[in-house]
Amino acid sequence: MTILEANKIYKSYGNKFNKQEVLKGIDLRVDKGEFVGIMGASGSGKTTLLNVLSSIDKVSLGSIKIGGKTFTEMKEKELAEFRKRHLGFIFQEYNLLDTLTVKENVLLPLSIADVSKKEAHRKFESIAKELGIYELKDKYPNEISGGQKQRTSAARAFIHDPSIIFADEPTGALDSKSASDLLGKLGELNRKIEATIVMVTHDPVAASYCSRVVFIKDGQIYTQLNKGEETRQSFFNDIIKTQGVLGGVQA
């Protein structure tokens, strides 16, 4: 089942006298339960692509559907409601509120939904245990490590069972151990609950946790790799080779 469908996506900035075309007619499908990585050199358009796919930015031309709904045609109020119900976000910089505990931060998306306290606690307990942060529930962000903050951010993204989760360089601020812990947990949730994840990354190690990697070059899809039955190490090697062909994909 297709969760995300992007057709002929164009994105440009500036005016007719000084226009910069960043995305140049991208078509992309993401099926339910896929863990898709988006990679590309600096300036390739990968972050812009994530921003338009996740409704953070508007397309110049084209249409994007998530869960069968074309959100590119929605007015701002309808779009805000759509985001709350259907999208989850994990950012590089955590975006946690320092005045709230770990549990309170994670429960934020449910505070604006019609969910009972009992059900909210059940959901929190389930996702927090999956991500290894349940014992931290009463701590504040300044009392936990960067890796724990990012797993809190991930729990917040998953708590309301969104149709799709967008992750923008989620391991960018983490050390290698914390990064592998987070990616391992995301991979487990992807398999266990068929969570659909689209992640921008410059890191081939992070990308090797994905089931498919889409490479962007000059605002277009250059190529794609499917993991299939490959081991993560073998898939990592394929990603490195493709980066070499691209001339080295850097952050």
Side-chain angles (χ1 to χ4, degrees):
M1 183 175 117
T2 300
I3 287 290
L4 183 150
E5 185 176 345
N7 294 307
K8 297 289 179 288
I9 297 302
Y10 289 84
K11 179 63 182 178
S12 56
Y13 296 98
N15 54 42
K16 62 182 179 180
F17 303 109
N18 182 24
K19 188 161 85 168
Q20 181 190 8
E21 202 167 58
V22 182
L23 302 179
K24 304 169 185 176
I26 284 179
D27 292 318
L28 182 66
R29 306 279 181 280
V30 176
D31 289 338
K32 179 172 173 56
E34 272 200 287
F35 188 170
V36 177
I38 299 174
M39 301 190 81
S42 179
S44 63
K46 65 183 185 297
T47 299
T48 301
L49 177 60
L50 187 82
N51 286 345
V52 297
L53 293 178
S54 63
S55 80
I56 289 173
D57 203 353
K58 293 184 187 297
V59 297
S60 300
L61 280 173
S63 67
I64 305 170
K65 290 182 183 177
I66 290 179
K69 298 181 188 295
T70 307
F71 71 78
T72 41
E73 297 173 357
M74 292 179 184
K75 298 286 189 289
E76 199 53 50
K77 189 175 180 182
E78 187 185 2
L79 185 57
E81 190 64 29
F82 177 80
R83 278 192 203 108
K84 284 190 292 190
R85 293 185 179 278
H86 296 286
L87 309 184
F89 296 92
I90 307 172
F91 299 102
Q92 183 175 332
E93 295 302 326
Y94 322 129
N95 286 12
L96 301 176
L97 296 177
D98 291 335
T99 55
L100 300 182
T101 64
V102 163
K103 183 176 181 179
E104 289 166 343
N105 267 288
V106 172
L107 288 175
L108 270 176
L110 297 186
S111 67
I112 49 178
D114 188 20
V115 177
S116 69
K117 279 190 175 180
K118 185 178 179 181
E119 176 65 3
H121 177 76
R122 185 195 68 75
K123 282 177 168 286
F124 170 78
E125 186 173 356
S126 174
I127 195 66
K129 285 182 175 176
E130 284 284 352
L131 284 161
I133 57 166
Y134 186 72
E135 304 305 322
L136 306 172
K137 63 183 185 294
D138 297 322
K139 291 188 178 293
Y140 289 88
N142 66 352
E143 298 175 312
I144 61 178
S145 70
Q148 291 166 337
K149 287 178 187 176
Q150 195 58 300
R151 279 183 277 141
T152 299
S153 176
R156 182 183 57 194
F158 279 95
I159 191 79
H160 60 301
D161 303 317
S163 302
I164 190 166
I165 287 170
F166 293 100
D168 186 5
E169 299 279 10
T171 60
L174 304 180
D175 60 68
S176 57
K177 169 72 167 60
S178 297
S180 63
D181 285 349
L182 175 71
L183 291 161
K185 296 292 186 186
L186 292 181
E188 283 176 24
L189 287 165
N190 167 249
R191 291 187 296 274
K192 279 185 181 178
I193 63 172
E194 286 196 301
T196 308
I197 305 168
V198 175
M199 174 179 73
V200 159
T201 182
H202 69 277
D203 181 2
V205 174
S208 70
Y209 284 83
C210 299
S211 53
R212 174 163 59 115
V213 179
V214 177
F215 292 86
I216 307 295
K217 183 178 183 181
D218 299 330
Q220 296 178 307
I221 292 179
Y222 173 77
T223 191
Q224 303 185 46
L225 294 176
N226 286 288
K227 186 177 184 182
E229 298 301 313
E230 282 189 83
T231 64
R232 195 165 65 78
Q233 182 60 51
S234 174
F235 194 43
F236 169 81
N237 292 338
D238 289 346
I239 292 165
I240 291 289
K241 285 175 190 170
T242 304
Q243 285 186 317
V245 174
L246 270 170
V249 179
Q250 301 299 324

